């Protein structure tokens, strides 16, 4: 009798253990991007899964062992068009859950489990590579405002092209503020405001590395800038720290250590030499000397890009301090993947610490984001007015400008009257912040 009771108790205990060990789906997120859609299942414990695909109609079927079906799949938000719907189907057994991902077109699946990290627990990740990737909306813009030049000239767009990069996105929220603000939303908002300001300025045009909430790898972002023939890349981020006290904006440029490494990588990829050499690559026939010539050209290009980045970075710092506190008063160097284009000047702007409660509130204020974008735009405009890229409208305008060496007794107002231009025009052309000029100073005198 006692043995029977013990057996029953052990059986009940075993049932409870099995029931307690059953896995569950705690949440589902769908993150679309132009060429890939990621589905993340937040799981109670490590998922045990298998999967297969079906045609007519196109489906991906995932079997989760020892998992219940309590989560409501119909409640999952889906802003993309690759996935038609998520639903349950009849599982292999009563303890399993079968999930069907209905697709609108072919996609290559890649499934893997992820261990807990930071604020996330166990996850099952489904990456679907789209068979019909979308082109970003900047491809159309890149064909506008172009000029037809003489055959003897090097063709390029007449506008100065600025690639604006909104940090993070999609499945990567970036840092999260104390009140739950996602960095990816702040960066996209500031980036769009900056884009609008640049596009409103004659002679400038902005392209976005991402214009919506989707993920792009850090290494892919400078590639997009190069594909769009950008003269500059500006990456927008919001800083964070483990403590709430740090605050203020900062500007980052590429460190020499990462620059040297990236230069070496480019030199190893001989098939990409032509991207930087342009027409020169076609006339280099001496293969034994090509590497040395390429190394010299790339080295000069890298030096120019880094010098430009530091110069522009200083101007951004000057403008940022007018609208927010500064965490660093000079551009800082770091090994950041988004800054590694050797032929494109690149800066990363941290608009504030999202981990600081007050700055999180400021960043959620549209007017403050507008001011931050305006500071970056003003600095960018100041730099390119001084150093416009060859072949642009601004370069042509600067070539038509006159110069004047300031003599004793001369002032900006006197020079403005003499040349029949506005004082503000002279100040803008020379990046002057005051009306003070010094004897011997050479000023650019605009035509209008």
């Amino acid at each position: 009798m006692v043995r029977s009771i013990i057996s029953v108790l052990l059986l009940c205990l075993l049932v409870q253990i099995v029931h307690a060990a059953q896995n569950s789906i705690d949440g589902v997120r769908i993150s679309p991007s132009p060429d890939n859609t990621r589905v993340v299942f937040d799981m109670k414990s490590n998922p045990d899964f298998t999967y297969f695909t079906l045609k007519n109609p196109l489906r991906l079927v995932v079997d989760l062992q020892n998992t219940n079906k309590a989560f409501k799949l119909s409640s999952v938000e889906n802003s993309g068009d690759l996935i038609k719907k998520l639903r349950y189907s009849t599982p292999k057994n009563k303890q399993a859950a079968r999930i069907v991902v209905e697709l609108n077109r072919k996609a290559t699946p890649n499934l893997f489990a992820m261990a807990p990290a930071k604020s996330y627990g166990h996850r099952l990740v489904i990456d679907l590579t789209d068979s019909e990737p979308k082109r970003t909306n900047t491809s159309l813009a890149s064909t506008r405002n172009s000029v037809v030049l003489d055959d003897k000239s090097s063709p390029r767009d007449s506008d100065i092209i600025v690639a604006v990069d909104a940090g993070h996105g999609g499945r990567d929220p970036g840092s999260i503020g104390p009140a739950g603000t996602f960095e990816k939303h702040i960066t996209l908002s500031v980036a769009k405001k900056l884009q609008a300001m640049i596009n409103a300025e004659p002679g400038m045009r902005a392209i976005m590395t991402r214009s919506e909430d989707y993920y792009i790898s850090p290494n892919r972002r400078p590639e997009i800038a190069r594909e769009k023939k950008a003269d500059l890349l500006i990456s927008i981020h919001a800083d964070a720290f483990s403590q709430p006290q740090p605050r203020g904006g900062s500007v980052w440029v590429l460190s020499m250590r990462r620059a040297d490494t990236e230069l070496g990588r480019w030199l190893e990829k001989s098939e990409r030499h032509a991207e930087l050499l342009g027409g020169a690559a076609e006339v280099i026939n001496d293969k034994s000397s090509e590497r040395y010539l390429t190394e010299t050209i790339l080295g000069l290009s890298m030096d120019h890009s880094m010098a430009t980045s530091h110069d522009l970075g200083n101007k951004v710092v000057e403008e940022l301090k007018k609208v927010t506190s500064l965490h660093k008063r000079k551009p800082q160097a770091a090994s950041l993947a988004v800054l590694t284009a050797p032929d494109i000047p690149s800066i990363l702007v941290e608009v504030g610490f999202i981990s600081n409660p007050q700055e999180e509130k400021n960043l959620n204020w549209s007017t403050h984001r507008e001011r931050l974008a305006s500071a970056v735009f003003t600095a960018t405009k100041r730099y390119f007015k001084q150093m416009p890229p060859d072949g642009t409208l601004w370069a042509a305008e600067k070539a038509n400008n006159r110069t004047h060496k300031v003599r004793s007794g001369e002032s900006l107002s006197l020079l403005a009257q003499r040349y029949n231009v506005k004082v503000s025009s002279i100040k803008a052309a020379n990046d002057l912040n005051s009306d003070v000029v010094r004897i011997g100073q050479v000023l650019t005198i605009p035509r209008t």
Side-chain angles (χ1 to χ4, degrees):
M1 180 68 178
V2 174
R3 185 175 296 176
S4 299
I5 294 174
I6 293 174
S7 299
V8 171
L9 290 174
L10 288 175
L11 180 61
C12 292
L13 180 61
L14 180 62
V15 170
Q16 289 177 350
I17 291 174
V18 171
H19 179 72
Q22 188 177 44
N23 207 343
S24 63
I25 300 171
D26 297 330
V28 181
R29 303 183 300 280
I30 299 178
S31 302
S33 68
D35 55 2
N36 174 279
T37 294
R38 170 169 284 192
V39 186
V40 179
F41 291 84
D42 293 315
M43 308 296 297
K44 179 182 177 181
S45 58
N46 187 43
D48 179 7
F49 67 95
T50 58
Y51 71 95
F52 58 92
T53 59
L54 295 171
K55 298 180 180 178
N56 301 319
L58 294 167
R59 287 156 291 166
L60 169 67
V61 180
V62 182
D63 286 315
L64 293 169
Q65 305 303 320
N66 194 32
T67 303
N68 65 45
K69 299 183 291 184
F71 187 84
K72 190 176 180 181
L73 293 178
S74 60
S75 65
V76 179
E77 182 180 349
N78 179 20
S79 60
D81 62 354
L82 176 61
I83 295 176
K84 186 176 181 180
K85 66 182 295 188
L86 300 179
R87 62 177 174 84
Y88 291 109
S89 184
T90 305
K92 292 181 177 179
N93 54 64
K94 293 182 179 180
Q95 287 73 43
R98 170 166 286 185
I99 297 172
V100 179
V101 183
E102 296 186 6
L103 301 171
N104 285 317
R105 53 187 175 273
K106 290 183 179 180
T108 303
N110 179 31
L111 283 73
F112 55 94
M114 293 188 70
K118 294 184 179 180
S119 58
Y120 295 101
H122 289 279
R123 286 153 290 169
L124 171 65
V125 179
I126 303 175
D127 275 338
L128 297 166
T129 303
D130 202 331
S131 61
E132 300 177 14
K134 298 180 179 63
R135 293 184 177 182
T136 60
N137 58 9
T138 56
S139 59
L140 179 61
S142 66
T143 63
R144 298 201 309 263
N145 301 322
S146 59
V147 291
V148 178
L149 301 177
D150 190 289
D151 289 340
K152 298 179 181 179
S153 303
S154 297
R156 63 148 291 148
D157 200 290
S158 63
D159 287 339
I160 295 170
I161 304 172
V162 180
V164 181
D165 173 53
H168 307 282
R171 61 180 182 261
D172 174 18
S175 300
I176 302 175
T181 304
F182 284 4
E183 180 184 357
K184 66 176 184 177
H185 295 148
I186 299 298
T187 61
L188 184 57
S189 175
V190 174
K192 285 185 174 181
K193 292 179 185 295
L194 178 58
Q195 177 197 29
M197 294 174 187
I198 292 172
N199 285 338
E201 180 69 27
M204 296 184 73
R205 178 159 54 82
I207 62 104
M208 301 278 284
T209 57
R210 71 175 180 96
S211 56
E212 297 176 22
D213 185 18
Y214 50 77
Y215 176 77
I216 301 175
S217 71
N219 289 311
R220 173 62 182 147
R221 295 167 189 255
E223 290 179 359
I224 294 174
R226 181 175 298 106
E227 290 168 3
K228 303 304 178 184
K229 304 186 185 303
D231 299 294
L232 172 69
L233 185 147
I234 301 174
S235 187
I236 306 295
H237 286 255
D239 223 330
F241 193 64
S242 57
Q243 302 297 322
Q245 289 81 11
R247 61 182 300 159
S250 57
V251 178
W252 296 80
V253 296
L254 185 65
S255 71
M256 282 304 299
R257 178 177 297 178
R258 183 61 180 264
D260 291 341
T261 301
E262 189 66 17
L263 180 58
R265 290 172 182 168
W266 272 69
L267 291 172
E268 292 300 324
K269 298 178 181 178
S270 59
E271 71 276 6
R272 300 182 72 175
H273 288 177
E275 292 186 27
L276 294 181
L277 293 174
E282 299 176 3
V283 297
I284 298 176
N285 297 317
D286 185 354
K287 298 299 181 182
S288 63
S289 63
E290 180 179 348
R291 178 182 176 84
Y292 302 105
L293 176 59
T294 302
E295 183 174 356
T296 300
I297 293 175
L298 284 179
L300 291 172
S301 178
M302 177 70 84
D303 290 343
H304 174 265
S305 294
M306 295 189 70
T308 297
S309 300
H310 275 89
D311 193 356
L312 175 61
N314 280 314
K315 286 180 168 55
V316 173
V317 168
E318 291 173 10
E319 296 297 332
L320 275 179
K321 69 182 180 181
K322 299 176 184 179
V323 299
T324 188
S325 60
L326 292 178
H327 185 65
K328 299 290 185 180
R329 295 186 174 275
K330 292 183 178 180
Q332 305 296 299
S335 299
L336 303 172
V338 73
L339 303 178
T340 53
D343 55 328
I344 303 175
S346 307
I347 63 171
L348 185 148
V349 181
E350 298 278 7
V351 294
F353 274 80
I354 201 170
S355 54
N356 180 290
Q358 183 57 52
E359 289 209 333
E360 182 186 18
K361 291 181 181 179
N362 293 342
L363 292 172
N364 277 310
W365 184 28
S366 179
T367 302
H368 184 67
R369 297 197 302 273
E370 186 87 17
R371 291 170 181 169
L372 291 169
S374 180
V376 177
F377 168 69
T378 301
T380 304
K381 182 179 176 181
R382 281 176 54 198
Y383 176 80
F384 280 125
K385 279 295 184 181
Q386 288 183 302
M387 302 291 291
D390 292 339
T392 61
L393 292 175
W394 285 18
E397 289 174 357
K398 185 175 182 180
N400 290 328
N401 289 337
R402 301 154 289 185
T403 59
H404 179 91
K405 189 174 183 178
V406 178
R407 295 188 290 267
S408 177
E410 292 182 330
S411 63
L412 283 183
S413 58
L414 181 64
L415 295 176
Q417 291 178 0
R418 180 181 301 172
Y419 290 102
N420 194 28
V421 296
K422 297 178 180 179
V423 171
S424 59
S425 298
I426 299 178
K427 291 174 67 175
N430 293 275
D431 193 26
L432 299 177
N433 294 319
S434 70
D435 293 339
V436 178
V437 291
R438 64 181 186 276
I439 297 174
Q441 183 177 1
V442 178
L443 297 175
T444 298
I445 308 297
R447 297 287 179 179
T448 57

